[in-house]
Amino acid sequence: MRAETVARRLLSFPRLSVGKVRFEVDDLGSEVLVVEVAVRGRSRCSRCGRKCPGYDRLKPRRWRHLDFGAWEVQLEAGLCRVECRRCGVVVEQVSWAEPESRFTLHFEELVGWLAQRCDKTAISTMLRIAWRSVGTILERVVARLRAPIDWTKVTAIATDELSFRKGQRYLTLVSDLETGRILWSKEGRSAATLEAFFAEIGVEACARIRHAAIDMFEGYAQAIRRCLPNATIVYDRFHVQQLASKAVDEVRRGEWQRLRGTDEARGVKHLRWALLRNPWNVTPAEHERLAELPKQNRLIYRAYLLKESLAGIYRSLYTTPWAKRRLNEWIAWALRSRLAPFRKVARTLRRCFDGVLAYFETGYTTSRAEGLNTKARLATRQAYGFHSADAVRAMIELRCTGIAPRLPHQIVGVAG
Ligand SMILES: [Zn+2]
């Protein structure tokens, strides 16, 4: 059997013919098996796929394919540009790669499969490609394999933000509260970021959304009020409780400053975790400290009671009218408390009252999104070193949305 015949069998792409096969050592000392290939049949436009006449011929270019043992395999072809009536003069379509890619489809899918399972070092060592290239490959793999979303079924969404690149930059993630699927993501965390999502899905899809769960961030709320005519905002309970936790800590720090240098100050300093933990997670030593609190420091004690009673309202599974009453009582108490951080929380709750109450009606939280966020955060960590937010998003989708890249032997349709 001739080498060209073997190569043709191994390269299972349609509309591909094989020419000469040769070995080479490239500038970096890598051993490369070069397979000359050509497009079989009439040339087509790489944008729309229509058959169209040739325009001119380009210099040969190469695509990295799956290794053959220790040898890197490169396909080499001189393509032409075609003149498409719709798209103008563009490079012709090839069956083995996307227009802008220098890797074959099979190679890219292998990268996707590995990126779901392996770390950075494993992938770049095994495949001998730069980590940066992995990012752009994943963008293409995800765009090809992502299942289309049926917007007529999306009626409840959660919006959350995620930091990447050590907290300097943010992604806004939108997920479906019913299915838990990530629907959309984009760099940024402003009202405009979320509005870009609403613009993309269109007015009809926006009108179908009945509930939108968000954190306490005002930008998202503004975007929802502007673009979702039928949606109720649901403020996430854990973010509401977080406001109270932060307020307790602020009161404690204030007291610590005030008492600085005294024995009491040390006690106050060590109270931090006892105050912030849920009661069932408090250690025996912390329990003791909390038991001393009413005598030791009344301000912190009051702050602690406020925080816990707010948590209690959420834990009690009240019906909406009861929750409304309890929340109003809590707000009145916090406003009277003479604790500035809690008065601030009370004012926030009063301003966002309907959205806070909507939790009791719907039970929606962003916690499903938060669970997703934990997974997404891990994916983000793995994507560290990628250069664009799009590559980070691709890694998140690859790891969190059930996309299934196939290995070469799982790809059906071996050409003759
Ligand atoms: Zn075209």
Side-chain angles (χ1 to χ4, degrees):
M1 202 185 264
R2 292 186 325 139
E4 289 78 20
T5 316
V6 175
R8 189 175 310 129
R9 281 291 283 278
L10 292 177
L11 294 173
S12 51
F13 297 102
R15 302 199 306 111
L16 169 143
S17 65
V18 174
K20 291 201 164 56
V21 179
R22 65 176 190 275
F23 290 103
E24 247 185 41
V25 177
D26 72 11
D27 306 342
L28 300 168
S30 305
E31 296 165 312
V32 183
L33 178 64
V34 181
V35 183
E36 289 174 16
V37 297
V39 175
R40 214 175 54 202
R42 277 192 58 190
S43 47
R44 295 163 193 255
C45 167
S46 56
R47 296 237 184 106
C48 68
R50 285 178 187 205
K51 287 178 186 164
C52 34
Y55 180 79
D56 61 1
R57 194 153 274 285
L58 299 167
K59 276 192 297 184
R61 57 175 76 172
R62 288 184 179 186
W63 295 263
R64 173 83 186 275
H65 187 54
L66 304 163
D67 288 355
F68 186 57
W71 292 78
E72 264 184 28
V73 175
Q74 304 261 10
L75 308 191
E76 187 180 84
L79 302 181
C80 47
R81 288 198 299 171
V82 293
E83 191 166 16
C84 173
R85 260 189 290 164
R86 194 188 289 174
C87 315
V89 175
V90 293
V91 69
E92 72 174 314
Q93 186 185 58
V94 298
S95 63
W96 57 87
E98 289 207 35
E100 68 283 13
S101 175
R102 292 294 167 270
F103 301 93
T104 67
L105 296 170
H106 294 186
F107 186 90
E108 292 196 338
E109 211 152 319
L110 175 64
V111 173
W113 191 90
L114 288 169
Q116 284 182 325
R117 295 160 174 86
C118 307
D119 63 21
K120 179 175 168 172
T121 318
I123 297 169
S124 43
T125 309
M126 180 185 166
L127 299 177
R128 295 180 277 184
I129 50 172
W131 187 239
R132 209 185 282 201
S133 312
V134 171
T136 44
I137 289 173
L138 295 185
E139 286 176 49
R140 286 190 293 267
V141 170
V142 168
R144 277 201 298 276
L145 301 181
R146 183 198 287 129
I149 295 165
D150 181 357
W151 292 107
T152 63
K153 298 227 164 67
V154 178
T155 57
I157 59 166
T159 302
D160 222 328
E161 68 192 33
L162 190 70
S163 70
F164 70 104
R165 282 226 190 156
K166 296 201 168 153
Q168 292 158 19
R169 291 161 73 179
Y170 288 85
L171 282 177
T172 292
L173 284 185
V174 180
S175 53
D176 186 330
L177 273 169
E178 295 298 332
T179 63
R181 178 178 173 183
I182 291 181
L183 298 171
W184 187 86
S185 60
K186 189 183 171 67
E187 186 172 1
R189 54 162 174 176
S190 63
T193 318
L194 194 54
E195 276 169 11
F197 166 66
F198 298 141
E200 229 171 86
I201 65 174
V203 179
E204 276 178 40
C206 282
R208 264 185 232 107
I209 298 173
R210 315 291 305 192
H211 293 99
I214 53 171
D215 56 19
M216 305 300 288
F217 172 56
E218 189 48 32
Y220 291 153
Q222 276 170 13
I224 289 165
R225 270 184 236 118
R226 271 201 288 263
C227 307
L228 303 184
N230 302 315
T232 306
I233 290 175
V234 185
Y235 285 111
D236 179 60
R237 62 171 283 189
F238 298 103
H239 285 94
V240 174
Q241 286 182 245
Q242 216 172 52
L243 295 181
S245 294
K246 280 191 187 139
V248 172
D249 207 42
E250 243 177 87
V251 172
R252 182 194 62 85
R253 265 181 303 158
E255 282 298 280
W256 179 67
Q257 293 284 0
R258 189 176 65 81
L259 299 165
R260 225 165 161 157
T262 65
D263 277 354
E264 266 180 287
R266 207 173 320 123
V268 167
K269 192 173 182 186
H270 290 133
L271 266 170
R272 179 155 196 239
W273 292 110
L275 292 171
L276 295 182
R277 269 193 243 280
N278 282 320
W280 54 89
N281 287 331
V282 168
T283 66
E286 287 168 345
H287 247 299
E288 247 172 79
R289 273 183 216 136
L290 286 174
E292 292 294 312
L293 198 53
K295 275 184 287 173
Q296 199 193 52
N297 191 308
R298 306 219 354 215
L299 286 187
I300 300 178
Y301 183 55
R302 198 182 307 147
Y304 179 72
L305 289 182
L306 275 162
K307 175 212 147 210
E308 275 307 309
S309 66
L310 183 63
I313 297 173
Y314 276 110
R315 278 200 291 271
S316 310
L317 302 173
Y318 284 126
T319 57
T320 310
W322 269 102
K324 189 173 179 181
R325 202 161 136 184
R326 290 279 174 263
L327 282 170
N328 273 322
E329 285 166 7
W330 190 90
I331 289 170
W333 177 22
L335 286 173
R336 285 197 314 268
S337 69
R338 274 177 282 161
L339 300 169
F342 275 94
R343 296 176 60 159
K344 200 173 148 211
V345 176
R347 284 194 295 270
T348 305
L349 294 198
R350 206 160 53 178
R351 181 165 50 80
C352 304
F353 197 77
D354 292 343
V356 174
L357 197 61
Y359 164 75
F360 294 90
E361 191 98 47
T362 62
Y364 284 137
T365 70
T366 59
S367 66
R368 189 164 190 173
E370 296 269 312
L372 202 64
N373 254 356
T374 314
K375 262 170 92 181
R377 211 161 281 137
L378 278 173
T380 315
R381 204 172 308 155
Q382 201 199 1
Y384 192 72
F386 283 175
H387 276 242
S388 71
D390 288 339
V392 177
R393 287 168 47 192
M395 182 69 97
I396 292 171
E397 291 210 25
L398 195 64
R399 291 242 166 172
C400 310
T401 57
I403 289 173
R406 295 155 304 171
L407 288 170
H409 67 270
Q410 293 166 330
I411 300 174
V412 284
V414 177

